[in-house]
Amino acid sequence: GVSDDRLMPNSDIVLGASDGTNSFIHDRYAFARAEPPIDPIQNIGRASVDRADGITTMTFNRLRSASENLDISLDPDRFFLFAYSGIATFSAMPPTASFHGPGLTRRAPSQDRIHIPTFEECSGGVTPEPFTLDCQGGTDTANNIVFDCTSNTD
């Protein structure tokens, strides 16, 4: 998710889960510290989530700018939120995920605001929209949170 203050409430979130067979990924907005409702307008494209070798990878496209009131623009720089080890229920419609409760969640808000360079900043060209944000998370052998997020342009 992206946030102005490193906290879950009032954050724009892409929530996804995979058990290696079933998966889901949704654009959501967190009003409180609870499972965020699905945005009525899904402003992510080419979305996928996969789990392999203990690593969950979510890939999606979205505009840098906010396209509706439940989106947060990625300009200026924002804090990024990452949570995992929740419980996903794939049989529910829509599928659900719970990250709240004793021992359920590991979370890693970024310590600093993260700047995602525009295509123009990287190459001097015109910024294409949308951009691709690839995030991977999991734990290493010492059980430390590993979080990697990269952006690419189409």
Side-chain angles (χ1 to χ4, degrees), residues 4-84:
D4 282 324
D5 60 10
R6 300 180 69 227
L7 301 174
M8 183 177 175
N10 302 313
S11 295
D12 191 6
I13 293 175
V14 175
L15 184 119
S18 175
D19 63 5
T21 302
N22 303 292
S23 64
F24 68 86
I25 186 167
H26 298 130
D27 180 13
R28 298 175 180 232
Y29 187 86
F31 295 95
R33 193 174 177 267
E35 181 178 350
I38 297 173
D39 285 3
I41 301 170
Q42 291 292 291
N43 292 314
I44 57 174
R46 293 191 226 166
S48 66
V49 59
D50 186 47
R51 183 162 181 82
D53 300 322
I55 296 176
T56 300
T57 303
M58 293 193 320
T59 304
F60 57 90
N61 290 357
R62 70 155 278 192
L63 297 173
R64 294 180 68 87
S65 57
S67 57
E68 45 101 3
N69 65 344
L70 296 178
D71 284 341
I72 294 177
S73 175
L74 298 178
D75 292 317
D77 302 349
R78 305 288 183 185
F79 292 103
F80 275 63
L81 310 175
F82 177 70
Y84 71 98

Side-chain angles (χ1 to χ4, degrees), residues 1 3 5-9 11 33 79-86 99-101 103-111 137-139 143-147:
S3 167
D5 60 10
R6 300 180 69 227
L7 301 174
M8 183 177 175
S11 295
R33 193 174 177 267
F79 292 103
F80 275 63
L81 310 175
F82 177 70
Y84 71 98
S85 293
F99 291 89
H100 301 284
L104 278 184
T105 303
R106 300 280 314 263
R107 63 185 183 93
S110 62
Q111 295 300 312
T139 57
N143 209 30
N144 295 311
I145 293 173
V146 176
F147 178 52

Side-chain angles (χ1 to χ4, degrees), residues 118-137:
T118 65
F119 183 77
E120 186 174 66
E121 288 173 309
C122 294
S123 68
V126 176
T127 305
E129 296 280 359
F131 77 103
T132 301
L133 182 63
D134 295 327
C135 297
Q136 293 186 354

